[in-house]
Amino acid sequence: MPSLAAGMDGHGERDTRARVARLILEHGPITASALGERVGLTPAAVRRHLDALLAEGMIEVKRARPQAHRGRGRPAKWFAITDAGRSAFVHAYDDLASAALRFLAEKAGGAAVAEFAWRQIADLERRYRPVVRAAPPQQRVRALAEALSADGYAAAAGRAPRMGGQQLCQHHCPVAHVAAEFPQLCEAETEAFSRLLGTPVQRLATIAHGDGICTTHVSPRDLRADPGPGAVPGAGHGTTQDTDDEESGRTSL
């Protein structure tokens, strides 16, 4: 797979080209002129970086943006990231994150890695809490799935097939490669789900461990959880009717 650094002369060139590629990843399809405005480059400099990224297979040309208004004259070139380009970013981030966590573990121990995981998941939990809590109790798993899907987890919620309660499935995990080495990330996420939903949850499968999807069983709400990290069953509060067999969140991938 081509590297973002391949064929680049000098540190400044490498950083600029990586920035161009990132903008195409985040905002593409996008024109060369729009890229130049965002990065502050001359047309000639933008073309140089685009030609290099095209040669590496990181980006591709689309003659017209989908649903774009077509006027007279030659169609504008729109540049989009390729699967290889997207993968290069994912692996680069994974490698950097894994190296940083290894360094943290060596210098401060496993407890420091766990604390890092809790802090990282705290932002997710803080953003999701108003959305989940605003939903009716029987719809909260679906609300959580929709929030996860908006962040790229391609999540869905449905009735658990044999265990009772509901099941939360994540078909994509942005940090799967890192979590394979540092399971503290999965543990922190599972505890956050329990707090958000107010009931015990159990992780049955994870992409990080080689499973096809991350599957979390959500206990029936008559086994309410303590709001703290322990997620132990609390006093009964009555049962709620299961939602539809398949309540899918929006797939953003």
Side-chain angles (χ1 to χ4, degrees):
M1 181 179 300
S3 166
L4 286 175
M8 300 182 188
D9 299 323
H11 185 71
E13 285 282 294
R14 181 179 67 241
D15 288 348
T16 302
R17 195 161 302 166
R19 186 180 175 195
V20 170
R22 178 194 286 272
L23 284 171
I24 296 172
L25 172 70
E26 295 177 349
H27 302 286
I30 189 170
T31 63
S33 60
L35 281 169
E37 291 176 1
R38 289 178 178 272
V39 186
L41 295 175
T42 65
V46 171
R47 283 196 298 270
R48 185 176 71 251
H49 290 299
L50 290 174
D51 287 344
L53 291 169
L54 284 167
E56 295 171 2
M58 304 289 290
I59 62 173
E60 60 184 349
V61 175
K62 295 185 178 295
R63 285 293 176 181
R65 190 175 188 179
Q67 300 179 347
H69 175 72
R70 294 187 181 183
R72 294 181 179 179
R74 185 178 179 181
K77 288 184 178 180
W78 296 80
F79 297 90
I81 203 76
T82 62
D83 289 341
R86 187 174 290 105
S87 296
F89 272 101
V90 170
H91 289 298
Y93 295 150
D94 284 352
D95 291 345
L96 179 61
S98 295
L101 287 175
R102 283 189 214 105
F103 179 83
L104 181 62
E106 291 172 3
K107 295 297 182 180
V113 175
E115 183 178 355
F116 172 83
W118 307 146
R119 290 192 180 187
Q120 285 295 106
I121 211 69
D123 176 65
L124 176 147
E125 187 175 352
R126 183 169 54 252
R127 289 189 294 107
Y128 291 179
R129 184 177 293 110
V131 176
V132 174
R133 295 297 171 85
Q138 67 272 21
Q139 299 293 326
R140 287 181 178 175
V141 180
R142 183 176 66 178
L144 177 56
E146 291 176 347
L148 287 165
S149 289
D151 278 347
Y153 290 85
R159 182 179 296 138
R162 293 179 298 275
M163 303 171 65
Q166 296 183 68
Q167 187 166 278
L168 177 67
C169 297
Q170 296 158 259
H171 297 268
H172 176 66
C173 176
V175 297
H177 292 90
V178 183
E181 184 174 354
F182 297 97
Q184 295 95 326
L185 297 171
C186 292
E187 293 166 5
E189 182 183 75
T190 304
E191 290 191 13
F193 289 172
S194 178
R195 290 191 294 270
L196 286 166
L197 297 171
T199 191
V201 304
Q202 181 183 4
R203 187 59 61 85
L204 303 179
T206 63
I207 297 173
H209 290 163
D211 300 301
I213 59 176
C214 295
T215 305
T216 304
H217 176 257
V218 182
S219 297
R221 290 186 60 83
D222 58 341
L223 298 176
R224 292 291 294 270
D226 182 87
V232 294
H237 288 264
T239 60
T240 57
Q241 184 176 359
D242 282 326
T243 55
D244 295 337
D245 287 344
E246 187 64 20
E247 300 171 341
S248 297
R250 298 182 304 274
T251 300
S252 61
L253 301 181

